Amino acid sequence: MNCCFAKEGEPTCFTWIGQANTPRLKARYQFQLALVNSITFAILFFCFPALFFTVPALILAVQAVKRFDDGNEKGCNHFVLISTILNIIGIVVGTVILVVVIIFIIF
């Protein structure tokens, strides 16, 4: 294993989901997205509620990679879908909280 569960010949980091053309790569992309979101929302302490969505998304993305490696592609796709939904909800919650805090500080 390499950086972020990369196998031999796979890219180590992604810049957008379009680069992921297999279920395993999509799961790795969701892992990286959830990891970055979790770190960002942990640093911004007032965005803490977003961690309730991004941390489970991170765990599910790891499980998706493991399921694919075990040969369960359908299970991998299911976990990727749930991780994607949790990531989107976490991003929306974190962004809304951030906007509200910024508006509160300005006014």
Side-chain angles (χ1 to χ4, degrees):
M1 290 282 168
N2 217 347
C3 175
C4 294
F5 300 110
K7 285 189 173 181
E8 188 67 33
E10 288 184 347
T12 55
C13 292
F14 299 100
T15 55
W16 61 292
I17 188 66
Q19 292 177 316
N21 55 2
T22 67
R24 186 177 197 285
L25 292 179
K26 289 177 183 177
R28 286 189 48 230
Y29 174 81
Q30 290 302 324
F31 168 76
Q32 292 174 13
L33 181 63
L35 183 66
V36 168
N37 288 339
S38 297
I39 292 170
T40 303
F41 293 141
I43 291 171
L44 301 171
F45 64 93
F46 46 81
C47 290
F48 182 75
L51 290 175
F52 291 116
F53 300 103
T54 58
V55 170
L58 179 66
I59 294 167
L60 287 172
V62 170
Q63 291 300 317
V65 172
K66 289 181 180 180
R67 293 246 175 158
F68 187 83
D69 289 344
D70 292 340
N72 186 357
E73 187 173 329
K74 187 174 181 179
C76 174
N77 289 336
H78 182 70
F79 278 131
V80 167
L81 177 66
I82 296 170
S83 179
T84 302
I85 292 168
L86 288 174
N87 267 325
I88 291 169
I89 293 171
I91 291 169
V92 169
V93 168
T95 304
V96 167
I97 292 171
L98 186 61
V99 167
V100 168
V101 168
I102 289 173
I103 289 173
F104 183 73
I105 290 173
I106 291 175
F107 297 109

PDB file of all heavy atoms in Angstrom, residues 46-47 95-107:
ATOM      1  N   PHE A  46     -15.633  26.041  15.100  1.00  0.00           N
ATOM      2  CA  PHE A  46     -17.067  26.334  15.087  1.00  0.00           C
ATOM      3  C   PHE A  46     -17.799  25.508  14.038  1.00  0.00           C
ATOM      4  O   PHE A  46     -19.012  25.445  14.037  1.00  0.00           O
ATOM      5  CB  PHE A  46     -17.339  27.829  14.880  1.00  0.00           C
ATOM      6  CG  PHE A  46     -16.538  28.441  13.776  1.00  0.00           C
ATOM      7  CD1 PHE A  46     -16.928  28.319  12.461  1.00  0.00           C
ATOM      8  CD2 PHE A  46     -15.378  29.140  14.061  1.00  0.00           C
ATOM      9  CE1 PHE A  46     -16.190  28.869  11.444  1.00  0.00           C
ATOM     10  CE2 PHE A  46     -14.628  29.703  13.047  1.00  0.00           C
ATOM     11  CZ  PHE A  46     -15.032  29.570  11.742  1.00  0.00           C
ATOM     12  N   CYS A  47     -17.080  24.828  13.142  1.00  0.00           N
ATOM     13  CA  CYS A  47     -17.696  23.937  12.153  1.00  0.00           C
ATOM     14  C   CYS A  47     -17.725  22.497  12.650  1.00  0.00           C
ATOM     15  O   CYS A  47     -17.907  21.565  11.870  1.00  0.00           O
ATOM     16  CB  CYS A  47     -16.939  24.013  10.832  1.00  0.00           C
ATOM     17  SG  CYS A  47     -17.140  25.562   9.976  1.00  0.00           S
ATOM     18  N   THR A  95     -20.263  24.629   5.421  1.00  0.00           N
ATOM     19  CA  THR A  95     -20.322  25.900   4.700  1.00  0.00           C
ATOM     20  C   THR A  95     -21.380  26.825   5.287  1.00  0.00           C
ATOM     21  O   THR A  95     -21.137  28.021   5.461  1.00  0.00           O
ATOM     22  CB  THR A  95     -20.606  25.648   3.205  1.00  0.00           C
ATOM     23  OG1 THR A  95     -19.604  24.769   2.687  1.00  0.00           O
ATOM     24  CG2 THR A  95     -20.598  26.943   2.423  1.00  0.00           C
ATOM     25  N   VAL A  96     -22.545  26.270   5.609  1.00  0.00           N
ATOM     26  CA  VAL A  96     -23.609  27.087   6.202  1.00  0.00           C
ATOM     27  C   VAL A  96     -23.156  27.654   7.542  1.00  0.00           C
ATOM     28  O   VAL A  96     -23.356  28.847   7.824  1.00  0.00           O
ATOM     29  CB  VAL A  96     -24.912  26.262   6.351  1.00  0.00           C
ATOM     30  CG1 VAL A  96     -25.917  26.980   7.234  1.00  0.00           C
ATOM     31  CG2 VAL A  96     -25.507  25.972   4.987  1.00  0.00           C
ATOM     32  N   ILE A  97     -22.541  26.830   8.370  1.00  0.00           N
ATOM     33  CA  ILE A  97     -22.052  27.314   9.663  1.00  0.00           C
ATOM     34  C   ILE A  97     -20.999  28.399   9.463  1.00  0.00           C
ATOM     35  O   ILE A  97     -21.019  29.434  10.149  1.00  0.00           O
ATOM     36  CB  ILE A  97     -21.493  26.148  10.494  1.00  0.00           C
ATOM     37  CG1 ILE A  97     -22.620  25.213  10.911  1.00  0.00           C
ATOM     38  CG2 ILE A  97     -20.751  26.663  11.723  1.00  0.00           C
ATOM     39  CD1 ILE A  97     -22.147  23.930  11.554  1.00  0.00           C
ATOM     40  N   LEU A  98     -20.098  28.179   8.537  1.00  0.00           N
ATOM     41  CA  LEU A  98     -19.053  29.167   8.263  1.00  0.00           C
ATOM     42  C   LEU A  98     -19.650  30.486   7.793  1.00  0.00           C
ATOM     43  O   LEU A  98     -19.245  31.562   8.255  1.00  0.00           O
ATOM     44  CB  LEU A  98     -18.075  28.613   7.226  1.00  0.00           C
ATOM     45  CG  LEU A  98     -16.839  29.452   6.921  1.00  0.00           C
ATOM     46  CD1 LEU A  98     -15.996  29.617   8.171  1.00  0.00           C
ATOM     47  CD2 LEU A  98     -16.028  28.802   5.821  1.00  0.00           C
ATOM     48  N   VAL A  99     -20.627  30.441   6.904  1.00  0.00           N
ATOM     49  CA  VAL A  99     -21.275  31.663   6.412  1.00  0.00           C
ATOM     50  C   VAL A  99     -22.006  32.380   7.550  1.00  0.00           C
ATOM     51  O   VAL A  99     -21.918  33.601   7.673  1.00  0.00           O
ATOM     52  CB  VAL A  99     -22.230  31.324   5.231  1.00  0.00           C
ATOM     53  CG1 VAL A  99     -23.134  32.505   4.916  1.00  0.00           C
ATOM     54  CG2 VAL A  99     -21.438  30.899   4.016  1.00  0.00           C
ATOM     55  N   VAL A 100     -22.698  31.627   8.371  1.00  0.00           N
ATOM     56  CA  VAL A 100     -23.423  32.238   9.503  1.00  0.00           C
ATOM     57  C   VAL A 100     -22.439  32.902  10.465  1.00  0.00           C
ATOM     58  O   VAL A 100     -22.689  34.030  10.935  1.00  0.00           O
ATOM     59  CB  VAL A 100     -24.290  31.179  10.234  1.00  0.00           C
ATOM     60  CG1 VAL A 100     -24.802  31.711  11.551  1.00  0.00           C
ATOM     61  CG2 VAL A 100     -25.443  30.738   9.337  1.00  0.00           C
ATOM     62  N   VAL A 101     -21.341  32.250  10.751  1.00  0.00           N
ATOM     63  CA  VAL A 101     -20.337  32.835  11.654  1.00  0.00           C
ATOM     64  C   VAL A 101     -19.736  34.092  11.041  1.00  0.00           C
ATOM     65  O   VAL A 101     -19.566  35.110  11.720  1.00  0.00           O
ATOM     66  CB  VAL A 101     -19.242  31.807  11.993  1.00  0.00           C
ATOM     67  CG1 VAL A 101     -18.050  32.464  12.663  1.00  0.00           C
ATOM     68  CG2 VAL A 101     -19.804  30.694  12.868  1.00  0.00           C
ATOM     69  N   ILE A 102     -19.437  34.068   9.753  1.00  0.00           N
ATOM     70  CA  ILE A 102     -18.861  35.242   9.092  1.00  0.00           C
ATOM     71  C   ILE A 102     -19.868  36.396   9.099  1.00  0.00           C
ATOM     72  O   ILE A 102     -19.511  37.539   9.400  1.00  0.00           O
ATOM     73  CB  ILE A 102     -18.408  34.897   7.656  1.00  0.00           C
ATOM     74  CG1 ILE A 102     -17.174  33.999   7.716  1.00  0.00           C
ATOM     75  CG2 ILE A 102     -18.129  36.169   6.860  1.00  0.00           C
ATOM     76  CD1 ILE A 102     -16.742  33.449   6.383  1.00  0.00           C
ATOM     77  N   ILE A 103     -21.140  36.094   8.801  1.00  0.00           N
ATOM     78  CA  ILE A 103     -22.163  37.144   8.836  1.00  0.00           C
ATOM     79  C   ILE A 103     -22.319  37.696  10.244  1.00  0.00           C
ATOM     80  O   ILE A 103     -22.448  38.913  10.444  1.00  0.00           O
ATOM     81  CB  ILE A 103     -23.516  36.602   8.301  1.00  0.00           C
ATOM     82  CG1 ILE A 103     -23.398  36.379   6.787  1.00  0.00           C
ATOM     83  CG2 ILE A 103     -24.655  37.553   8.620  1.00  0.00           C
ATOM     84  CD1 ILE A 103     -24.597  35.688   6.168  1.00  0.00           C
ATOM     85  N   PHE A 104     -22.285  36.821  11.244  1.00  0.00           N
ATOM     86  CA  PHE A 104     -22.391  37.249  12.634  1.00  0.00           C
ATOM     87  C   PHE A 104     -21.232  38.163  13.024  1.00  0.00           C
ATOM     88  O   PHE A 104     -21.416  39.153  13.722  1.00  0.00           O
ATOM     89  CB  PHE A 104     -22.449  36.025  13.555  1.00  0.00           C
ATOM     90  CG  PHE A 104     -22.622  36.375  15.001  1.00  0.00           C
ATOM     91  CD1 PHE A 104     -23.832  36.832  15.476  1.00  0.00           C
ATOM     92  CD2 PHE A 104     -21.559  36.246  15.869  1.00  0.00           C
ATOM     93  CE1 PHE A 104     -23.995  37.161  16.813  1.00  0.00           C
ATOM     94  CE2 PHE A 104     -21.708  36.568  17.210  1.00  0.00           C
ATOM     95  CZ  PHE A 104     -22.925  37.025  17.676  1.00  0.00           C
ATOM     96  N   ILE A 105     -20.031  37.833  12.547  1.00  0.00           N
ATOM     97  CA  ILE A 105     -18.833  38.647  12.862  1.00  0.00           C
ATOM     98  C   ILE A 105     -18.934  40.008  12.152  1.00  0.00           C
ATOM     99  O   ILE A 105     -18.592  41.039  12.748  1.00  0.00           O
ATOM    100  CB  ILE A 105     -17.554  37.910  12.449  1.00  0.00           C
ATOM    101  CG1 ILE A 105     -17.335  36.711  13.380  1.00  0.00           C
ATOM    102  CG2 ILE A 105     -16.350  38.833  12.486  1.00  0.00           C
ATOM    103  CD1 ILE A 105     -16.201  35.805  12.962  1.00  0.00           C
ATOM    104  N   ILE A 106     -19.397  40.021  10.912  1.00  0.00           N
ATOM    105  CA  ILE A 106     -19.471  41.272  10.151  1.00  0.00           C
ATOM    106  C   ILE A 106     -20.515  42.209  10.741  1.00  0.00           C
ATOM    107  O   ILE A 106     -20.290  43.409  10.856  1.00  0.00           O
ATOM    108  CB  ILE A 106     -19.763  40.979   8.668  1.00  0.00           C
ATOM    109  CG1 ILE A 106     -18.546  40.307   8.029  1.00  0.00           C
ATOM    110  CG2 ILE A 106     -20.114  42.265   7.928  1.00  0.00           C
ATOM    111  CD1 ILE A 106     -18.780  39.868   6.608  1.00  0.00           C
ATOM    112  N   PHE A 107     -21.672  41.667  11.082  1.00  0.00           N
ATOM    113  CA  PHE A 107     -22.753  42.513  11.569  1.00  0.00           C
ATOM    114  C   PHE A 107     -22.790  42.464  13.061  1.00  0.00           C
ATOM    115  O   PHE A 107     -23.451  42.958  13.786  1.00  0.00           O
ATOM    116  CB  PHE A 107     -24.089  42.098  10.955  1.00  0.00           C
ATOM    117  CG  PHE A 107     -24.114  42.270   9.469  1.00  0.00           C
ATOM    118  CD1 PHE A 107     -24.111  41.175   8.620  1.00  0.00           C
ATOM    119  CD2 PHE A 107     -24.105  43.516   8.896  1.00  0.00           C
ATOM    120  CE1 PHE A 107     -24.125  41.314   7.255  1.00  0.00           C
ATOM    121  CE2 PHE A 107     -24.125  43.672   7.520  1.00  0.00           C
ATOM    122  CZ  PHE A 107     -24.130  42.574   6.704  1.00  0.00           C
TER     123      PHE A 107
END
